[in-house]
């Protein structure tokens, strides 16, 4: 009886030992996993400390004592906030560390160009004022000369065509500097008033009347007339 009881106790003790060994093995595996995780955490901690010194020039104590960033209160999830900020950084793409210096350089060039543009705008306004004044002066001189030549043309036309009517007029009086001059010539007894409908001699006389009107209005030191009498008979030549 005592031997049987002893065997049962021995078997029970053996089972306890095996269970204890199994728990010990599990504990050792868990301990190894914890050691690995601890080593990884130490590496991450060192990397984080190095990143703090490199990027923020701060120690671990300074970082932990810094105030929470805007938008993250006591109820906020810092991990979610970090992931959101990292996503924003990824969307922004790589950062150019020289961007600030390049911006300052380009801003100086833009300011210089804007100054030059302002000077050009001022110069353009001044030139437009000069051009406008010249246009007004040219128009006044042209109208004055045209009126005098038109008067003298009527006078000379009456000399070469007694009883006839000749006059000068502007095709568009509202635009004297951009329009043409119409020469009207109507000898006595004729209804036509266009030079193209006159005979060769009549066109020559009308042209001479216009030329002499110009010469009298704006005298020249000399005149060169090449066979102006070719189409004239004796009476008109005289």
């Amino acid at each position: 009886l005592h031997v049987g009881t002893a065997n049962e106790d021995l078997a029970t003790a053996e089972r306890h030992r095996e269970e204890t060994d199994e728990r010990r093995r599990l504990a050792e595996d868990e301990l190894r996993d914890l050691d690995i995780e601890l080593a990884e955490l130490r590496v991450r901690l060192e990397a984080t400390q190095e990143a703090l010194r490199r990027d923020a020039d701060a120690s671990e104590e300074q970082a932990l004592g810094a105030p929470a960033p805007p938008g993250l209160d006591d109820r906020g999830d810092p991990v979610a906030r970090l992931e959101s900020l990292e996503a924003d950084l990824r969307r922004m793409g790589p950062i150019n560390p020289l961007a600030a210096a390049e911006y300052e350089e380009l801003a100086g060039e833009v300011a210089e160009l804007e100054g030059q543009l302002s000077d050009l705008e001022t110069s353009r306004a001044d030139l437009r004022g000069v051009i406008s004044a010249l246009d007004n002066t040219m128009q006044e001189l042209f109208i004055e000369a045209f009126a005098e030549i038109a008067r003298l043309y009527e006078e000379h036309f009456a000399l070469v065509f007694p009883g006839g009517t000749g006059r000068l007029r502007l095709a568009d009086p509202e635009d004297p500097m951009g329009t043409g001059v119409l020469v009207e010539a109507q000898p006595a007894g004729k209804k036509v008033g266009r030079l193209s409908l006159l005979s060769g001699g009549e066109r020559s006389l009308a042209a001479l009347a216009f030329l002499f009107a110009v010469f009298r209005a704006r005298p020249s030191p000399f005149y060169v007339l090449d066979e102006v009498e070719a189409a004239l008979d004796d009476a008109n030549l005289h």
Side-chain angles (χ1 to χ4, degrees):
L1 179 63
H2 292 293
V3 173
T5 303
N7 288 334
E8 291 178 0
D9 291 340
L10 180 60
T12 301
E14 185 66 25
R15 287 194 301 272
H16 285 309
R17 184 182 65 80
E18 291 176 355
E19 292 175 357
T20 302
D21 288 341
E22 181 65 21
R23 288 197 298 271
R24 180 180 57 80
R25 285 193 297 271
L26 292 175
E28 288 175 351
D29 292 342
E30 185 176 357
L31 180 60
R32 282 194 299 271
D33 293 340
L34 289 175
D35 288 338
I36 294 173
E37 185 176 356
L38 180 61
E40 293 177 350
L41 289 175
R42 287 196 183 100
V43 172
R44 291 177 59 185
L45 176 61
E46 292 175 357
T48 303
Q49 291 173 342
E50 178 62 26
L52 282 174
R53 287 191 295 270
R54 181 184 66 250
D55 299 335
D57 192 21
S59 64
E60 179 181 357
E61 292 76 11
Q62 291 173 331
L64 292 174
L72 184 63
D73 53 20
D74 296 337
R75 295 172 298 176
D77 184 1
V79 175
R81 178 61 175 168
L82 177 60
E83 293 176 352
S84 175
L85 293 175
E86 289 177 344
D88 291 340
L89 286 175
R90 287 193 297 271
R91 284 191 292 269
M92 291 172 61
I95 297 175
N96 181 10
L98 302 177
E102 293 176 356
Y103 173 79
E104 293 295 335
E105 182 180 356
L106 291 176
E109 294 179 0
V110 169
E112 182 179 356
L113 291 175
E114 287 178 346
Q116 294 177 0
L117 179 61
S118 177
D119 293 340
L120 289 175
E121 292 287 350
T122 302
S123 299
R124 182 173 67 173
D126 294 340
L127 287 175
R128 284 179 173 175
V130 173
I131 292 173
S132 178
L134 287 175
D135 287 342
N136 292 335
T137 301
M138 291 170 59
Q139 181 169 315
E140 292 174 359
L141 293 175
F142 174 78
I143 293 176
E144 179 183 348
F146 177 79
E148 184 178 5
I149 293 173
R151 179 182 60 82
L152 293 173
Y153 174 71
E154 293 180 7
E155 179 181 331
H156 283 281
F157 193 87
L159 290 175
V160 296
F161 291 106
T165 301
R167 69 189 185 101
L168 302 178
R169 64 184 181 88
L170 297 176
D172 183 7
E174 300 298 328
D175 184 20
M177 301 303 296
T179 188
V181 176
L182 301 179
V183 180
E184 296 182 354
Q186 186 175 4
K190 290 191 175 183
K191 295 182 179 181
V192 297
R194 297 172 56 185
L195 288 176
S196 60
L197 299 179
L198 299 179
S199 65
E202 290 171 337
R203 287 199 298 270
S204 295
L205 290 175
L208 287 172
F210 174 76
L211 288 175
F212 284 122
V214 174
F215 292 155
R216 285 186 60 188
R218 296 293 183 268
S220 175
F222 56 87
Y223 310 123
V224 178
L225 306 178
D226 184 19
E227 297 186 3
V228 295
E229 79 286 0
L232 304 180
D233 54 19
D234 291 340
N236 287 319
L237 177 59
H238 175 69

